[in-house]
Amino acid sequence: MLVFLMIPIVCLCLVVYWAVKAGPKPPEPALLPAEVPTPEPRSPWRPRRARRPRPGPHGAPGRAAARARRAPQRS
């Protein structure tokens, strides 16, 4: 039984040794240089559109909570 338990440990040690021995490879150069896209020029007489406010209450309760009725005052 001890032999069967040692097999995974030995395999783990071999994998770690193989990974350390291999070391990192130098990076390959790029095949094509990267092109940076140029932004399209905006026309100066056309202003940017402002964002519209969102419709609806957003975060406000839909309706007010009902109030409890007061007991009639006795005099």
Side-chain angles (χ1 to χ4, degrees), residues 1-13:
M1 187 164 144
L2 184 63
V3 173
F4 292 122
L5 293 176
M6 289 296 291
I7 291 174
I9 296 172
V10 170
C11 290
L12 179 65
C13 291

Side-chain angles (χ1 to χ4, degrees), residues 57 60-64:
R63 57 184 191 188

